[in-house]
């Protein structure tokens, strides 16, 4: 039996980028913080561009601890949802045009979230990546690491548990 | 002389992100702080239901924890969060203000320990609880 012809690369890219946009851009709070996502294949990197409104300590100045926590939590939820939905929109089981119209599937809910502040967040762009330690039928455990100029010197990390949509 | 609450109110207004989220200190005394954050559509995490994003709750808890540490009688000159753990018990009711209450229940030369709770109008069922450790900066 002949293997089906692979889809043109731009069709794949368009579909994946549209799915990611729908996931992230539909959430007001993600827009409020100005977080965007870089995609390479299925790997996501969250980007938090620096803005004065994110400052928590005006004397240093440093990014607000709450912003750091929120950034890590957004990264964890979007990355987990992304991995949860990947199979569905790759096989076509999930219609991306429906996603784009704002019809988002139910997303994981945070059960608990632990942030570890390693260094103060400097007034510049920040990046974060999540790794999914376990994604089960009911619960998921996710680790997130955030850094600024230097990937080897993270400024915060987090561990979170989620209740998967039933 | 302006009282402590007055100073704390000024202090929170000097934090750009706290101001941006409309946080207001409603009580502060001897290691206990209460901060109110009005409902704001910009902070929504689920556009379908209008429920606030967990990150906004984290920002409120972190600020309130820091305020509790700063108001402790052994007043440190400054503080920063070492770690913060938040448990989300339920979604905050859309349209209602969120109130965080934090207690700095223990303070040593280097570390301050905090417990906090976030409530909406139904105060019998907390939205979230938190525990945290904060640094104690000497003057």
């Amino acid at each position: 039996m002949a293997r089906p012809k692979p889809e043109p690369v731009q069709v794949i890219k368009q579909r994946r980028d549209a799915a990611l946009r729908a996931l992230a851009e539909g959430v007001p709070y993600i827009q409020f913080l100005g977080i965007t996502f870089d995609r390479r294949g299925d790997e996501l990197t969250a980007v938090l561009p620096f803005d004065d409104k994110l400052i928590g300590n005006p004397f240093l100045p440093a990014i607000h601890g709450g912003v750091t926590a929120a950034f890590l939590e957004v990264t964890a939820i979007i990355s987990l949802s992304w991995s949860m939905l990947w199979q569905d929109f790759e096989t076509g089981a999930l219609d991306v045009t429906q996603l784009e119209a704002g019809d988002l599937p139910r997303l994981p809910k945070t059960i608990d979230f632990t942030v570890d502040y390693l260094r103060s967040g400097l007034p510049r762009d920040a990046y974060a990546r999540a790794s999914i330690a376990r994604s089960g039928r009911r619960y998921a455990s996710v680790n997130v690491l955030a850094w600024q100029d230097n990937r080897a010197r993270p400024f915060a990390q987090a561990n979170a548990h989620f209740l998967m949509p039933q | 002389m302006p009282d402590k609450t007055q100073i704390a109110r000024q202090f929170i207004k000097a934090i750009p992100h706290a101001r941006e989220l409309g946080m207001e200190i409603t009580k502060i005394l001897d290691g206990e702080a209460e901060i109110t954050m009005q409902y704001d559509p910009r902070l929504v995490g689920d556009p379908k239901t209008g429920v606030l994003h967990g990150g906004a709750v984290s920002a409120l808890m972190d600020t309130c924890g820091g305020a509790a540490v700063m108001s402790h009688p052994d007043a440190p000159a400054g503080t920063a969060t070492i770690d913060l753990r938040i448990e989300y018990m339920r979604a905050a009711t859309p349209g209602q203000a969120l109130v965080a209450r934090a207690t700095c229940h223990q303070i040593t030369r280097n570390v301050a320990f905090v417990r906090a709770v976030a409530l909406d109008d139904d105060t019998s069922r907390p939205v979230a609880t938190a525990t945290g450790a904060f640094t104690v900066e000497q003057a």
Side-chain angles (χ1 to χ4, degrees):
Chain A
M1 199 179 89
R3 215 183 337 173
K5 203 173 161 221
E7 286 177 288
V9 66
Q10 65 270 30
V11 171
I12 299 178
K13 276 192 178 172
Q14 248 171 32
R15 183 181 57 228
R16 292 176 182 171
D17 289 338
L20 181 56
R21 250 196 329 272
L23 264 185
E25 286 180 8
V27 181
Y29 189 63
I30 297 180
Q31 295 307 304
F32 170 71
L33 290 178
I35 299 169
T36 57
F37 286 86
D38 260 7
R39 184 187 66 79
R40 294 288 178 267
D42 72 340
E43 185 195 57
L44 298 184
T45 307
V47 182
L48 175 72
F50 179 73
D51 190 286
D52 282 340
K53 76 173 181 197
L54 306 181
I55 291 176
N57 183 329
F59 306 106
L60 287 176
I63 293 181
H64 195 287
V67 171
T68 302
F71 178 47
L72 292 164
E73 190 167 338
V74 164
T75 307
I77 296 179
I78 295 294
S79 302
L80 182 60
S81 308
W82 175 253
S83 82
M84 186 181 91
L85 298 174
W86 174 268
Q87 207 63 41
D88 288 347
F89 60 70
E90 283 299 296
T91 57
L94 193 83
D95 188 0
V96 176
T97 49
Q98 227 171 327
L99 271 187
E100 280 179 297
D103 189 15
L104 289 176
R106 296 181 58 210
L107 300 179
K109 283 192 212 164
T110 318
I111 300 169
D112 61 55
F113 194 83
T114 311
V115 202
D116 194 353
Y117 294 92
L118 307 171
R119 295 182 172 82
S120 70
L122 303 170
R124 59 194 72 157
D125 295 0
Y127 315 97
R129 271 185 210 151
S131 69
I132 295 153
R134 179 173 188 264
S135 177
R137 216 160 36 80
R138 293 169 72 198
Y139 309 110
S141 176
V142 181
N143 299 306
V144 199
L145 192 69
W147 71 98
Q148 293 187 304
D149 301 311
N150 198 331
R151 177 85 163 84
R153 289 168 58 84
F155 76 102
Q157 61 182 1
N159 176 249
H161 294 97
F162 294 93
L163 185 62
M164 300 304 274
Q166 301 298 312
Chain B
M1 196 178 97
D3 69 295
K4 239 180 170 173
T5 313
Q6 205 61 40
I7 294 171
R9 280 197 180 131
Q10 289 304 319
F11 182 78
I12 213 107
K13 286 214 172 95
I15 302 176
H17 193 66
R19 201 171 49 214
E20 192 68 32
L21 295 189
M23 291 185 198
E24 233 178 297
I25 292 197
T26 32
K27 240 180 254 169
I28 187 151
L29 190 73
D30 299 340
E32 303 213 358
E34 185 185 281
I35 296 183
T36 304
M37 184 171 78
Q38 296 304 326
Y39 181 79
D40 184 338
R42 294 178 307 162
L43 309 181
V44 165
D46 182 352
K48 267 190 194 159
T49 56
V51 168
L52 287 183
H53 196 281
V57 182
S58 301
L60 176 65
M61 291 291 219
D62 185 69
T63 310
C64 196
V69 174
M70 291 304 287
S71 77
H72 195 275
D74 299 351
T79 187
T81 321
I82 298 172
D83 92 274
L84 189 68
R85 175 191 161 89
I86 301 178
E87 287 124 11
Y88 296 98
M89 258 73 82
R90 66 174 173 98
T93 312
Q96 296 183 0
L98 209 54
V99 176
R101 287 186 192 141
T103 309
C104 173
H105 57 90
Q106 198 64 249
I107 191 163
T108 71
R109 219 171 331 147
N110 296 305
V111 188
F113 299 90
V114 171
R115 272 195 285 268
V117 59
L119 307 161
D120 60 15
D121 291 0
D122 179 2
T123 53
S124 65
R125 295 189 309 136
V127 168
T129 56
T131 50
F134 289 74
T135 65
V136 172
E137 309 292 342
Q138 309 296 342

